[in-house]
């Protein structure tokens, strides 16, 4: 799984073309057709570009199509808003678009967590590395939500039997799709994570080969809280302003639910503990955040990221 060998644009176009059928784009299927998905010539015709030019794009020989060509290919490949956003992002990344540095972003991390008060909140980067976590979030998932851990590596560190669990599969799929959507394809950290998971986990290889790319926004999870047992919590993930590739995730619960009672006790406990303290954060100079296999967390928290 050599990420970047022909480039993310070429890989995405090839995968998307293979997923479409003639009927999906209004074409008739001729008898005896053996092509899996659409032909290159069909995509080129739908996009109004030459077959030779489209071939150069799929072979990675041209990584900077114009905005007009991108729009045409997006329509031809029937991309939704999220997939179109990803298409433009990988082209911009190939062009070396400057981004704010992580060090600049981390200067504001503590302030970001303080805005959530005693509500559980933590911050991850584009690779699912945990950058900062407040006391309340540590109580929600003490095994998982610790600075320096990686959510995706931790999910796949579980036993193979977990792959039969619907919740586990949904979590793994979301995390993998978000990694592809938000990580810089040229990032050494991305290559490191892909190398670890592609060698050790067949399910990861299958998920990555699907080329799904979409952001994490919201969902539900179950967490075991001392004194409250297993409760349902809602999570919401938001981009940290500034195009820096950092994300803040918070937890809430329906009013009157066991989850709401658990969060109320967590807020009270974290308020006492956090007075005069700063939230945990990782030093901006750190470059690697590899999970320690010897301290793999248990399954006390299944779905948040």
């Amino acid at each position: 799984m050599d990420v970047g060998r022909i480039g993310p644009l070429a890989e995405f176009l090839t995968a998307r073309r293979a997923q479409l059928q003639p009927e999906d784009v209004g074409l008739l299927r001729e008898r005896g057709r053996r092509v899996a998905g659409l032909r290159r010539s069909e995509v080129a015709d739908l996009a109004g570009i030459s077959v030779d030019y489209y071939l150069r794009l799929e072979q990675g020989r041209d990584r900077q199509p114009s905005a007009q060509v991108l729009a045409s290919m997006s329509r031809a490949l029937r991309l939704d808003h999220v997939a179109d956003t990803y298409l433009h992002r990988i082209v911009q990344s190939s062009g070396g678009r400057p981004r704010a540095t992580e060090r600049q972003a981390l200067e504001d991390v503590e302030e970001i967590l303080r805005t959530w008060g005693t509500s559980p909140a933590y911050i991850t980067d584009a690779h699912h590395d945990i950058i900062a976590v407040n006391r309340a979030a540590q109580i929600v998932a003490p095994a998982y939500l610790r600075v320096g851990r990686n959510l995706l590596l931790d999910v796949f560190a579980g036993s193979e039997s977990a792959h039969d669990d619907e919740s586990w599969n949904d979590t793994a799929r979301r995390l993998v799709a978000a990694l592809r959507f938000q990580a810089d394809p040229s990032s050494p950290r991305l290559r490191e994570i892909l190398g670890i998971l592609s060698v050790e986990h067949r399910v990861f290889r299958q998920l990555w080969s699907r080329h799904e790319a979409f952001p994490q926004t919201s969902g539900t999870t179950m967490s075991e809280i001392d004194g409250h047992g297993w409760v349902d919590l809602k999570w919401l993930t938001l981009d940290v302003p500034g195009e820096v590739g950092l994300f803040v995730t918070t937890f809430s619960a329906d009013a009157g639910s066991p989850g709401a009672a658990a969060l109320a006790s967590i807020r009270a406990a974290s308020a006492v503990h956090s007075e005069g303290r700063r939230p945990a954060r990782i030093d901006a100079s750190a470059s690697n955040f590899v999970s320690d296999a010897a301290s793999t967390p248990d399954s006390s928290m299944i779905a948040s990221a």
Side-chain angles (χ1 to χ4, degrees):
M1 189 178 300
D2 185 10
V3 64
R5 181 176 60 86
I6 61 174
L9 174 62
E11 293 175 348
F12 180 70
L13 294 177
T14 302
R16 183 66 183 183
R17 177 171 61 83
Q19 294 167 7
L20 289 174
Q21 300 301 317
E23 298 85 354
D24 297 330
V25 296
L27 299 177
L28 293 176
R29 177 184 293 273
E30 66 271 24
R31 295 184 61 182
R33 182 184 178 105
R34 297 182 179 180
V35 177
L38 296 181
R39 298 186 176 96
R40 292 189 181 96
S41 59
E42 291 170 334
V43 175
D45 185 58
L46 289 167
I49 60 178
S50 70
V51 177
D52 179 68
Y53 181 57
Y54 182 77
L55 178 61
R56 294 206 307 273
L57 292 172
E58 273 209 9
Q59 291 179 338
R61 291 186 288 134
D62 190 323
R63 304 186 182 192
Q64 286 294 301
S66 67
Q68 182 179 2
V69 169
L70 280 179
S72 297
M73 289 195 301
S74 182
R75 289 193 298 270
L77 295 171
R78 301 302 193 263
L79 302 185
D80 59 18
H81 173 70
V82 172
D84 180 71
T85 298
Y86 174 69
L87 175 65
H88 282 77
R89 179 171 295 170
I90 56 179
V91 170
Q92 290 172 335
S93 176
S94 298
R97 180 173 61 91
R99 293 167 61 95
T101 66
E102 185 173 279
R103 183 177 295 276
Q104 290 171 326
L106 286 175
E107 292 176 356
D108 297 326
V109 159
E110 292 177 5
E111 182 60 33
I112 291 169
L113 289 187
R114 273 197 293 269
T115 63
W116 296 100
T118 55
S119 295
Y122 65 94
I123 293 178
T124 51
D125 67 6
H127 310 107
H128 299 308
D129 290 316
I130 298 178
I131 301 300
V133 55
N134 66 10
R135 173 60 179 170
Q138 291 174 342
I139 297 174
V140 167
Y144 279 89
L145 298 182
R146 290 185 290 169
V147 170
R149 299 203 72 93
N150 180 279
L151 296 173
L152 185 59
L153 293 178
D154 280 346
V155 163
F156 277 94
S159 67
E160 290 295 318
S161 62
H163 300 169
D164 296 327
D165 181 80
E166 183 177 350
S167 295
W168 186 95
N169 281 286
D170 179 65
T171 299
R173 174 177 175 256
R174 286 190 296 98
L175 287 170
V176 170
L179 178 68
R180 183 182 288 278
F181 182 81
Q182 64 202 20
D184 183 343
S186 64
S187 164
R189 177 56 171 156
L190 175 62
R191 294 194 189 97
E192 180 183 17
I193 291 172
L194 295 182
I196 293 170
L197 294 178
S198 62
V199 169
E200 299 179 358
H201 299 283
R202 173 183 55 83
V203 172
F204 173 79
R205 295 195 298 271
Q206 293 173 341
L207 290 172
W208 189 255
S209 68
R210 291 164 64 173
H211 283 261
E212 290 186 303
F214 52 81
Q216 295 202 106
T217 54
S218 62
T220 59
T221 185
M222 291 185 64
S223 185
E224 188 175 21
I225 309 296
D226 286 346
H228 297 270
W230 287 93
V231 297
D232 291 322
L233 300 178
K234 296 179 178 180
W235 57 266
L236 176 68
T237 298
L238 303 170
D239 286 12
V240 173
E243 296 278 338
V244 294
L246 296 181
F247 308 87
V248 57
T249 298
T250 64
F251 296 94
S252 64
D254 292 331
S257 68
L263 289 181
S265 66
I266 287 174
R267 292 189 187 98
S270 61
V272 172
H273 181 276
S274 300
E275 186 173 355
R277 294 175 177 262
R278 292 183 174 184
R281 63 173 270 193
I282 200 160
D283 189 278
S285 62
S287 58
N288 292 320
F289 311 94
V290 180
S291 296
D292 182 359
S295 59
T296 299
D298 58 27
S299 58
S300 62
M301 188 173 187
I302 299 175
S304 76

